[in-house]
Amino acid sequence: GAVVSQHPSWVICKSGTSVKIECRSLDFQATTMFWYRQFPKQSLMLMATSNEGSKATYEQGVEKDKFLINHASLTLSTLTVTSAHPEDSSFYICSAALGQGSNNSPLHFGNGTRLTVT
Amino acid sequence: AQKVTQAQTEISVVEKEDVTLDCVYETRDTTYYLFWYKQPPSGELVFLIRRNSFDEQNEISGRYSWNFQKSTSSFNFTITASQVVDSAVYFCAWGIQGAQKLVFGQGTRLTINP
């Protein structure tokens, strides 16, 4: 069964509004989660690393004020796309590792959220 | 910087054919991990395999097999006797020790025709 749950699966919003995406680790604690973005027919690009109890680490070129990340608990990280614009339309997917630094567990990915901004 | 290259953008074969998806990586790290993921049309990423840099043994899992060669920095994936259900985008990825933060290749869209 799924070990990382992502919600919602898809969302359509109007330009200028904000959208929150949740990523939950099921049955395990994830001190670190990762947020990726995938444009149509393109690869996954890491946006940011979400750290429980501290500020997220953003990749170069990703606006931290636009993509707000909150990792308030060991099982939940949220990504809020603020003042969304059509160019933010993409597939957002999160991942979490089963135990920080574990060498025996693969990354688990959520099912992704397809965001469409009209 | 680390880089993963999947030179084959799209591959189309007839069912039951064998098909190999290529993956070449670049890194200066001595300890790293390599992955393959399958992404069906529904979008989720399905984990297929993880291999660490010290383990060059080839692996076979059913119709799937992987060939890891450090000498050529390649981690190729072969599907034997392909089936229509194998149609998906396949991603090769590289991760640092702890294997939590991944660098993905561009993906190969595989279409298996009946």
Side-chain angles (χ1 to χ4, degrees):
Chain A
V3 294
V4 176
S5 173
Q6 194 170 334
H7 179 81
S9 299
W10 58 271
V11 58
I12 301 173
C13 71
K14 291 186 177 181
S15 186
T17 62
S18 295
V19 174
K20 180 184 286 188
I21 303 170
E22 293 186 349
C23 180
R24 293 181 184 274
S25 57
L26 307 177
D27 300 325
F28 72 99
Q29 296 181 337
T31 55
T32 306
M33 293 185 179
F34 300 87
W35 287 97
Y36 292 83
R37 178 169 55 186
Q38 183 183 28
F39 290 108
K41 296 189 176 182
Q42 294 190 27
S43 187
L44 288 84
M45 299 297 292
L46 180 66
M47 297 176 65
T49 302
S50 173
N51 305 297
E52 188 270 334
S54 64
K55 292 183 178 180
T57 304
Y58 290 81
E59 295 299 305
Q60 191 173 8
V62 178
E63 300 176 60
K64 62 180 181 180
D65 295 329
K66 182 170 183 62
F67 299 99
L68 301 179
I69 291 173
N70 185 287
H71 196 151
S73 77
L74 287 170
T75 60
L76 174 64
S77 174
T78 61
L79 168 68
T80 301
V81 183
T82 62
S83 187
H85 291 285
E87 57 264 31
D88 297 324
S89 298
S90 186
F91 187 67
Y92 294 85
I93 190 165
C94 69
S95 71
L98 192 64
Q100 187 177 21
S102 168
N103 291 329
N104 296 316
S105 300
L107 284 177
H108 298 281
F109 283 83
N111 286 345
T113 298
R114 191 165 302 281
L115 170 64
T116 302
V117 184
T118 61
Chain B
Q2 298 77 23
K3 184 178 180 181
V4 178
T5 302
Q6 294 178 255
Q8 303 148 310
T9 305
E10 296 190 28
I11 298 176
S12 180
V13 300
V14 177
E15 198 172 20
K16 298 184 183 178
E17 286 186 20
D18 298 346
V19 58
T20 296
L21 283 62
D22 298 332
C23 174
V24 175
Y25 62 95
E26 296 176 28
T27 183
R28 292 184 177 180
D29 294 85
T30 56
T31 301
Y32 51 89
Y33 294 83
L34 297 168
F35 298 78
W36 276 95
Y37 285 90
K38 174 182 180 180
Q39 187 179 43
S42 51
E44 76 272 21
L45 281 179
V46 179
F47 168 81
L48 296 178
I49 190 171
R50 163 184 167 149
R51 173 66 77 227
N52 76 53
S53 53
F54 297 109
D55 184 2
E56 285 193 73
Q57 280 192 336
N58 292 331
E59 180 155 338
I60 298 174
S61 176
R63 296 183 297 107
Y64 295 170
S65 62
W66 291 269
N67 184 344
F68 177 29
Q69 292 194 353
K70 288 181 74 172
S71 60
T72 55
S73 297
S74 64
F75 187 44
N76 296 339
F77 172 34
T78 297
I79 301 175
T80 303
S82 60
Q83 300 175 3
V84 173
V85 294
D86 295 327
S87 297
V89 179
Y90 290 84
F91 289 98
C92 180
W94 174 98
I96 57 174
Q97 187 172 11
Q100 297 191 29
K101 176 178 171 179
L102 299 186
V103 174
F104 284 85
Q106 301 91 321
T108 297
R109 183 175 299 276
L110 176 63
T111 302
I112 310 297
N113 299 300

